[in-house]
Amino acid sequence: CKIGLKVLASGLLQADFPDFVDRALRTWSVPPGRVVIGIHETAIAGSLDRVKDTLARLKRLGLRLGIDGFATGASSLSNLAQLPFDELKLSAAFVTDMQRTALHGKIVRALVRLARDLGLHLTAEGVADGETVLALLALGCERVQGTHVSPPLTAEEILVFEKSGSGLAKLRLSDL
């Protein structure tokens, strides 16, 4: 099970942010490899050098890094090339309409291919129906998130779900 943390631009720009994360991991005995720091693409805009340093320090701690909401804000292929991301979360803005809007379907297909070619794990956000799940799987998308899989959960609900042993790894395609 991965632990996902969203980081605001202000957090990335704090010089001691990686030290804070390191202390938290040690305090709670959380293996860094289980943690994915999710950074919305808009948090990168304008401060690339400072963000690059922070992300490098987080990677040295053993954390995984993801870019959230990709393709709707300040998307830049340059950022994908310069920053040490492990994961890409494709914005729901395109995923939601990919079955109804041909252009959105083409954009999703191209971004799935891009993520695969760059060696990035890909999650499609905003999946609301089984038809979209099947279309994404056919394109080679590894993971989906959205109301079709689960409604948003509180931290407490996630812990209960995790302790129950009914993790998503046990779901079959037919369950979706």
Side-chain angles (χ1 to χ4, degrees), residues 82-159:
Q82 293 182 56
L83 299 172
F85 289 112
D86 302 292
E87 301 187 8
L88 186 146
K89 279 193 171 183
L90 181 56
S91 173
F94 294 109
V95 173
T96 302
D97 291 333
M98 68 179 275
Q99 297 294 94
R100 293 181 298 281
T101 306
L103 180 59
H104 285 192
K106 290 175 183 178
I107 290 169
V108 169
R109 182 173 43 252
L111 291 173
V112 168
R113 172 92 190 257
L114 175 67
R116 188 173 45 240
D117 288 351
L118 295 176
L120 300 172
H121 293 283
L122 179 71
T123 301
E125 299 175 320
V127 176
D129 58 64
E131 184 179 321
T132 303
V133 170
L134 292 175
L136 288 161
L137 287 172
L139 293 175
C141 184
E142 299 172 67
R143 294 180 229 140
V144 298
Q145 86 179 40
T147 56
H148 186 67
V149 178
S150 171
L153 301 174
T154 65
E156 185 176 290
E157 290 169 329
I158 291 169
L159 290 173

